[in-house]
Amino acid sequence: MLHDLQTVTVFVAVAEARSFRVAADRLGVTRSAVSQAVRKLENRIGVALLLRTTRSVSLTEAGKRLYDAVSPALGEVDAAVRVAGDRRARPSGLLRLAVSSIAEDFLSGPLLASFLEAHPDIRLDVVVTDVEFDIVAEGYDAGVRLGEVIAQDMVVVPVSESQRQLVVASPSYLARHGVPGHPHELSGHRCIGWRADPGLPPYRWEFGTEGHEFAVAVEPEATTNDMWLMIRLACAGAGLTFGMEATFRPFIDRGELVPVLQEYSPSFPGFYLYFPSRRHLAPKLRALVDHLRRWRHDAEAA
């Protein structure tokens, strides 16, 4: 029984990592040990569970059926064992988070500073990234992203109110080039674009009116993955740019930037902390969820 559980655990690790090497690193064993465990399990069952090539590992139909059946149960066993060991302990350890660069409320500082003060035994490792990836496969405890891009099988906790994206420019730019009256007029303006990664095309500017949503593919004179460079260029009069209202709000309030086309900028669901569905959370992640909920309750009551 114990031997079967060990080989199944190894198989699940390979299935999730799609790599014998990565699975071996996560389990703290050799790649040879991982290969032997999977081979023993396949021999015991009598069918191939994984398709191996020099470049990739994928599940066979039988392997997918086995993974779908045993993965939730193994997750429950792992969580129950960790909770049993940590129930009396203060939340501690390294909490790894992957956070969108535009999640202003979460990244503003006070939320995470107060969390660390309340839980001195927890260390935070926050990677700010807009590249989409599997947080579980990459070893993160949780992520923060816009709700619309989070997989439906994740548990989500609200981080912000509803959001809007705005087109903004400096007063000097608008005085020289005029104010666009419709998003389709953006092709006649100088634009400052954003992209999440050098290998991706610039982000399309998204709008909506009377329930109809549409996007405009502008041709920016300048493109960057750094929101603060976009803001500095816009404040200097280099052109129109597009992003989250919360990011632009301090500059709008000071008169450095002016929003335009607001009638085409509907609100949409905001940011959420998300993590895999589990009955038992690690104490360090439970502490963050509880702290986030208290923080939002206090903010709404203020």
Side-chain angles (χ1 to χ4, degrees), residues 116-148:
L116 289 172
E117 183 177 2
H119 301 284
D121 293 332
I122 293 178
R123 293 176 294 120
L124 277 178
D125 181 5
V126 180
V127 172
V128 178
T129 175
D130 295 296
V131 178
E132 295 185 26
F133 59 88
D134 185 342
I135 60 169
V136 177
E138 297 299 324
Y140 288 88
D141 296 289
V144 176
R145 298 188 68 81
L146 286 171
E148 63 189 28

mmCIF file of all heavy atoms in Angstrom, residues 116-148:
data_model
loop_
_atom_site.group_PDB
_atom_site.id
_atom_site.type_symbol
_atom_site.label_atom_id
_atom_site.label_comp_id
_atom_site.label_asym_id
_atom_site.label_seq_id
_atom_site.Cartn_x
_atom_site.Cartn_y
_atom_site.Cartn_z
ATOM 1 N N LEU A 116 3.038 41.610 6.935
ATOM 2 C CA LEU A 116 4.323 41.167 7.469
ATOM 3 C C LEU A 116 4.475 41.540 8.938
ATOM 4 O O LEU A 116 5.054 40.775 9.728
ATOM 5 C CB LEU A 116 5.458 41.780 6.646
ATOM 6 C CG LEU A 116 5.626 41.227 5.238
ATOM 7 C CD1 LEU A 116 6.649 42.053 4.462
ATOM 8 C CD2 LEU A 116 6.044 39.762 5.275
ATOM 9 N N GLU A 117 3.959 42.692 9.325
ATOM 10 C CA GLU A 117 4.035 43.093 10.731
ATOM 11 C C GLU A 117 3.196 42.168 11.610
ATOM 12 O O GLU A 117 3.599 41.813 12.723
ATOM 13 C CB GLU A 117 3.555 44.524 10.888
ATOM 14 C CG GLU A 117 3.659 45.050 12.321
ATOM 15 C CD GLU A 117 3.249 46.505 12.442
ATOM 16 O OE1 GLU A 117 2.853 47.099 11.421
ATOM 17 O OE2 GLU A 117 3.330 47.044 13.557
ATOM 18 N N ALA A 118 2.040 41.741 11.092
ATOM 19 C CA ALA A 118 1.164 40.856 11.863
ATOM 20 C C ALA A 118 1.692 39.434 11.923
ATOM 21 O O ALA A 118 1.347 38.677 12.845
ATOM 22 C CB ALA A 118 -0.239 40.869 11.265
ATOM 23 N N HIS A 119 2.532 39.051 10.956
ATOM 24 C CA HIS A 119 3.025 37.665 10.886
ATOM 25 C C HIS A 119 4.539 37.679 10.681
ATOM 26 O O HIS A 119 5.034 37.434 9.570
ATOM 27 C CB HIS A 119 2.321 36.919 9.757
ATOM 28 C CG HIS A 119 0.838 36.875 9.891
ATOM 29 N ND1 HIS A 119 0.194 36.044 10.787
ATOM 30 C CD2 HIS A 119 -0.136 37.594 9.271
ATOM 31 C CE1 HIS A 119 -1.110 36.224 10.697
ATOM 32 N NE2 HIS A 119 -1.333 37.165 9.796
ATOM 33 N N PRO A 120 5.302 37.943 11.723
ATOM 34 C CA PRO A 120 6.758 38.087 11.591
ATOM 35 C C PRO A 120 7.486 36.814 11.175
ATOM 36 O O PRO A 120 8.637 36.892 10.752
ATOM 37 C CB PRO A 120 7.188 38.544 12.986
ATOM 38 C CG PRO A 120 6.094 38.080 13.896
ATOM 39 C CD PRO A 120 4.840 38.167 13.102
ATOM 40 N N ASP A 121 6.836 35.649 11.285
ATOM 41 C CA ASP A 121 7.497 34.396 10.904
ATOM 42 C C ASP A 121 7.292 34.042 9.434
ATOM 43 O O ASP A 121 7.780 33.017 8.970
ATOM 44 C CB ASP A 121 6.984 33.248 11.781
ATOM 45 C CG ASP A 121 7.391 33.406 13.241
ATOM 46 O OD1 ASP A 121 8.440 34.023 13.480
ATOM 47 O OD2 ASP A 121 6.658 32.928 14.114
ATOM 48 N N ILE A 122 6.548 34.888 8.712
ATOM 49 C CA ILE A 122 6.331 34.651 7.287
ATOM 50 C C ILE A 122 7.262 35.551 6.478
ATOM 51 O O ILE A 122 7.418 36.727 6.777
ATOM 52 C CB ILE A 122 4.863 34.934 6.888
ATOM 53 C CG1 ILE A 122 3.937 33.896 7.534
ATOM 54 C CG2 ILE A 122 4.688 34.909 5.366
ATOM 55 C CD1 ILE A 122 2.462 34.115 7.228
ATOM 56 N N ARG A 123 7.865 34.972 5.448
ATOM 57 C CA ARG A 123 8.671 35.736 4.499
ATOM 58 C C ARG A 123 7.944 35.749 3.155
ATOM 59 O O ARG A 123 7.396 34.740 2.738
ATOM 60 C CB ARG A 123 10.058 35.110 4.341
ATOM 61 C CG ARG A 123 10.921 35.191 5.602
ATOM 62 C CD ARG A 123 12.248 34.477 5.406
ATOM 63 N NE ARG A 123 12.068 33.048 5.238
ATOM 64 C CZ ARG A 123 12.428 32.348 4.172
ATOM 65 N NH1 ARG A 123 12.992 32.976 3.140
ATOM 66 N NH2 ARG A 123 12.228 31.053 4.101
ATOM 67 N N LEU A 124 7.941 36.898 2.506
ATOM 68 C CA LEU A 124 7.268 37.052 1.226
ATOM 69 C C LEU A 124 8.264 37.037 0.072
ATOM 70 O O LEU A 124 9.309 37.664 0.141
ATOM 71 C CB LEU A 124 6.498 38.373 1.177
ATOM 72 C CG LEU A 124 5.110 38.432 1.803
ATOM 73 C CD1 LEU A 124 4.552 39.836 1.676
ATOM 74 C CD2 LEU A 124 4.166 37.421 1.181
ATOM 75 N N ASP A 125 7.906 36.324 -0.984
ATOM 76 C CA ASP A 125 8.647 36.377 -2.248
ATOM 77 C C ASP A 125 7.617 36.736 -3.315
ATOM 78 O O ASP A 125 6.844 35.890 -3.760
ATOM 79 C CB ASP A 125 9.296 35.029 -2.544
ATOM 80 C CG ASP A 125 10.100 35.052 -3.843
ATOM 81 O OD1 ASP A 125 10.212 36.136 -4.449
ATOM 82 O OD2 ASP A 125 10.599 33.992 -4.250
ATOM 83 N N VAL A 126 7.574 38.015 -3.688
ATOM 84 C CA VAL A 126 6.574 38.511 -4.635
ATOM 85 C C VAL A 126 7.235 38.760 -5.982
ATOM 86 O O VAL A 126 8.136 39.590 -6.099
ATOM 87 C CB VAL A 126 5.925 39.815 -4.125
ATOM 88 C CG1 VAL A 126 4.886 40.314 -5.124
ATOM 89 C CG2 VAL A 126 5.290 39.596 -2.749
ATOM 90 N N VAL A 127 6.790 38.032 -6.986
ATOM 91 C CA VAL A 127 7.251 38.243 -8.355
ATOM 92 C C VAL A 127 6.173 39.032 -9.089
ATOM 93 O O VAL A 127 5.025 38.589 -9.191
ATOM 94 C CB VAL A 127 7.511 36.902 -9.068
ATOM 95 C CG1 VAL A 127 7.804 37.139 -10.545
ATOM 96 C CG2 VAL A 127 8.671 36.184 -8.409
ATOM 97 N N VAL A 128 6.525 40.220 -9.551
ATOM 98 C CA VAL A 128 5.589 41.068 -10.283
ATOM 99 C C VAL A 128 5.734 40.749 -11.769
ATOM 100 O O VAL A 128 6.787 40.986 -12.363
ATOM 101 C CB VAL A 128 5.854 42.555 -10.004
ATOM 102 C CG1 VAL A 128 4.896 43.427 -10.803
ATOM 103 C CG2 VAL A 128 5.722 42.848 -8.512
ATOM 104 N N THR A 129 4.682 40.180 -12.353
ATOM 105 C CA THR A 129 4.763 39.736 -13.741
ATOM 106 C C THR A 129 3.386 39.771 -14.375
ATOM 107 O O THR A 129 2.377 39.531 -13.702
ATOM 108 C CB THR A 129 5.330 38.307 -13.835
ATOM 109 O OG1 THR A 129 5.292 37.874 -15.197
ATOM 110 C CG2 THR A 129 4.542 37.330 -12.991
ATOM 111 N N ASP A 130 3.350 40.047 -15.664
ATOM 112 C CA ASP A 130 2.097 40.025 -16.415
ATOM 113 C C ASP A 130 2.059 38.875 -17.418
ATOM 114 O O ASP A 130 1.129 38.765 -18.202
ATOM 115 C CB ASP A 130 1.905 41.360 -17.144
ATOM 116 C CG ASP A 130 1.740 42.502 -16.156
ATOM 117 O OD1 ASP A 130 0.753 42.514 -15.409
ATOM 118 O OD2 ASP A 130 2.624 43.376 -16.115
ATOM 119 N N VAL A 131 3.067 38.015 -17.374
ATOM 120 C CA VAL A 131 3.087 36.837 -18.230
ATOM 121 C C VAL A 131 2.211 35.760 -17.591
ATOM 122 O O VAL A 131 2.344 35.460 -16.399
ATOM 123 C CB VAL A 131 4.525 36.317 -18.406
ATOM 124 C CG1 VAL A 131 4.535 35.051 -19.251
ATOM 125 C CG2 VAL A 131 5.398 37.395 -19.054
ATOM 126 N N GLU A 132 1.303 35.179 -18.352
ATOM 127 C CA GLU A 132 0.403 34.161 -17.835
ATOM 128 C C GLU A 132 1.119 32.813 -17.782
ATOM 129 O O GLU A 132 1.750 32.401 -18.754
ATOM 130 C CB GLU A 132 -0.849 34.063 -18.700
ATOM 131 C CG GLU A 132 -1.710 35.327 -18.668
ATOM 132 C CD GLU A 132 -3.006 35.165 -19.425
ATOM 133 O OE1 GLU A 132 -3.473 34.016 -19.538
ATOM 134 O OE2 GLU A 132 -3.534 36.168 -19.903
ATOM 135 N N PHE A 133 1.002 32.131 -16.635
ATOM 136 C CA PHE A 133 1.585 30.804 -16.495
ATOM 137 C C PHE A 133 0.859 30.071 -15.376
ATOM 138 O O PHE A 133 0.059 30.659 -14.640
ATOM 139 C CB PHE A 133 3.093 30.884 -16.212
ATOM 140 C CG PHE A 133 3.443 31.650 -14.967
ATOM 141 C CD1 PHE A 133 3.497 31.031 -13.729
ATOM 142 C CD2 PHE A 133 3.719 33.010 -15.024
ATOM 143 C CE1 PHE A 133 3.823 31.740 -12.581
ATOM 144 C CE2 PHE A 133 4.042 33.734 -13.897
ATOM 145 C CZ PHE A 133 4.095 33.084 -12.667
ATOM 146 N N ASP A 134 1.144 28.793 -15.235
ATOM 147 C CA ASP A 134 0.524 27.942 -14.218
ATOM 148 C C ASP A 134 1.250 28.146 -12.896
ATOM 149 O O ASP A 134 2.391 27.705 -12.736
ATOM 150 C CB ASP A 134 0.603 26.473 -14.656
ATOM 151 C CG ASP A 134 -0.130 25.530 -13.715
ATOM 152 O OD1 ASP A 134 -0.419 25.923 -12.568
ATOM 153 O OD2 ASP A 134 -0.398 24.393 -14.127
ATOM 154 N N ILE A 135 0.615 28.824 -11.931
ATOM 155 C CA ILE A 135 1.299 29.102 -10.664
ATOM 156 C C ILE A 135 1.594 27.831 -9.897
ATOM 157 O O ILE A 135 2.579 27.755 -9.156
ATOM 158 C CB ILE A 135 0.483 30.080 -9.789
ATOM 159 C CG1 ILE A 135 -0.904 29.509 -9.458
ATOM 160 C CG2 ILE A 135 0.366 31.443 -10.448
ATOM 161 C CD1 ILE A 135 -1.650 30.292 -8.399
ATOM 162 N N VAL A 136 0.744 26.808 -10.045
ATOM 163 C CA VAL A 136 0.973 25.550 -9.327
ATOM 164 C C VAL A 136 2.214 24.860 -9.873
ATOM 165 O O VAL A 136 3.095 24.432 -9.120
ATOM 166 C CB VAL A 136 -0.253 24.628 -9.442
ATOM 167 C CG1 VAL A 136 0.019 23.280 -8.763
ATOM 168 C CG2 VAL A 136 -1.475 25.289 -8.819
ATOM 169 N N ALA A 137 2.298 24.766 -11.196
ATOM 170 C CA ALA A 137 3.449 24.097 -11.815
ATOM 171 C C ALA A 137 4.750 24.815 -11.510
ATOM 172 O O ALA A 137 5.812 24.183 -11.407
ATOM 173 C CB ALA A 137 3.249 24.000 -13.327
ATOM 174 N N GLU A 138 4.696 26.145 -11.340
ATOM 175 C CA GLU A 138 5.899 26.929 -11.091
ATOM 176 C C GLU A 138 6.210 27.093 -9.601
ATOM 177 O O GLU A 138 7.159 27.786 -9.247
ATOM 178 C CB GLU A 138 5.776 28.305 -11.741
ATOM 179 C CG GLU A 138 5.662 28.260 -13.256
ATOM 180 C CD GLU A 138 6.876 27.624 -13.907
ATOM 181 O OE1 GLU A 138 8.003 27.827 -13.394
ATOM 182 O OE2 GLU A 138 6.715 26.906 -14.914
ATOM 183 N N GLY A 139 5.414 26.481 -8.744
ATOM 184 C CA GLY A 139 5.734 26.458 -7.323
ATOM 185 C C GLY A 139 5.295 27.673 -6.524
ATOM 186 O O GLY A 139 5.823 27.914 -5.440
ATOM 187 N N TYR A 140 4.309 28.427 -7.021
ATOM 188 C CA TYR A 140 3.795 29.574 -6.278
ATOM 189 C C TYR A 140 2.627 29.149 -5.396
ATOM 190 O O TYR A 140 1.860 28.246 -5.744
ATOM 191 C CB TYR A 140 3.342 30.683 -7.233
ATOM 192 C CG TYR A 140 4.493 31.384 -7.908
ATOM 193 C CD1 TYR A 140 5.018 30.904 -9.104
ATOM 194 C CD2 TYR A 140 5.071 32.514 -7.345
ATOM 195 C CE1 TYR A 140 6.089 31.531 -9.722
ATOM 196 C CE2 TYR A 140 6.136 33.156 -7.952
ATOM 197 C CZ TYR A 140 6.640 32.658 -9.140
ATOM 198 O OH TYR A 140 7.699 33.276 -9.750
ATOM 199 N N ASP A 141 2.486 29.830 -4.261
ATOM 200 C CA ASP A 141 1.370 29.543 -3.363
ATOM 201 C C ASP A 141 0.080 30.170 -3.865
ATOM 202 O O ASP A 141 -1.009 29.610 -3.671
ATOM 203 C CB ASP A 141 1.674 30.067 -1.958
ATOM 204 C CG ASP A 141 2.863 29.364 -1.326
ATOM 205 O OD1 ASP A 141 2.701 28.174 -0.972
ATOM 206 O OD2 ASP A 141 3.933 29.980 -1.202
ATOM 207 N N ALA A 142 0.161 31.342 -4.479
ATOM 208 C CA ALA A 142 -1.027 32.048 -4.952
ATOM 209 C C ALA A 142 -0.602 33.099 -5.962
ATOM 210 O O ALA A 142 0.586 33.391 -6.133
ATOM 211 C CB ALA A 142 -1.774 32.693 -3.790
ATOM 212 N N GLY A 143 -1.601 33.684 -6.630
ATOM 213 C CA GLY A 143 -1.352 34.756 -7.574
ATOM 214 C C GLY A 143 -2.392 35.847 -7.404
ATOM 215 O O GLY A 143 -3.403 35.662 -6.717
ATOM 216 N N VAL A 144 -2.152 36.985 -8.036
ATOM 217 C CA VAL A 144 -3.120 38.087 -8.061
ATOM 218 C C VAL A 144 -3.236 38.556 -9.499
ATOM 219 O O VAL A 144 -2.248 38.989 -10.099
ATOM 220 C CB VAL A 144 -2.692 39.260 -7.148
ATOM 221 C CG1 VAL A 144 -3.683 40.422 -7.291
ATOM 222 C CG2 VAL A 144 -2.600 38.819 -5.692
ATOM 223 N N ARG A 145 -4.456 38.442 -10.062
ATOM 224 C CA ARG A 145 -4.689 38.841 -11.442
ATOM 225 C C ARG A 145 -6.120 39.353 -11.578
ATOM 226 O O ARG A 145 -6.937 39.207 -10.663
ATOM 227 C CB ARG A 145 -4.476 37.677 -12.414
ATOM 228 C CG ARG A 145 -3.053 37.125 -12.429
ATOM 229 C CD ARG A 145 -2.861 36.121 -13.544
ATOM 230 N NE ARG A 145 -2.927 36.743 -14.847
ATOM 231 C CZ ARG A 145 -1.918 37.398 -15.416
ATOM 232 N NH1 ARG A 145 -0.761 37.515 -14.792
ATOM 233 N NH2 ARG A 145 -2.052 37.928 -16.614
ATOM 234 N N LEU A 146 -6.430 39.915 -12.733
ATOM 235 C CA LEU A 146 -7.810 40.277 -13.030
ATOM 236 C C LEU A 146 -8.671 39.020 -13.075
ATOM 237 O O LEU A 146 -8.244 37.975 -13.597
ATOM 238 C CB LEU A 146 -7.896 41.010 -14.366
ATOM 239 C CG LEU A 146 -7.382 42.452 -14.375
ATOM 240 C CD1 LEU A 146 -7.318 42.974 -15.805
ATOM 241 C CD2 LEU A 146 -8.280 43.356 -13.523
ATOM 242 N N GLY A 147 -9.874 39.130 -12.542
ATOM 243 C CA GLY A 147 -10.736 37.963 -12.438
ATOM 244 C C GLY A 147 -11.030 37.301 -13.765
ATOM 245 O O GLY A 147 -11.181 36.080 -13.834
ATOM 246 N N GLU A 148 -11.088 38.073 -14.842
ATOM 247 C CA GLU A 148 -11.483 37.534 -16.144
ATOM 248 C C GLU A 148 -10.465 36.563 -16.728
ATOM 249 O O GLU A 148 -10.799 35.803 -17.648
ATOM 250 C CB GLU A 148 -11.730 38.675 -17.123
ATOM 251 C CG GLU A 148 -10.507 39.521 -17.404
ATOM 252 C CD GLU A 148 -10.820 40.775 -18.210
ATOM 253 O OE1 GLU A 148 -11.957 41.268 -18.114
ATOM 254 O OE2 GLU A 148 -9.925 41.238 -18.921
#
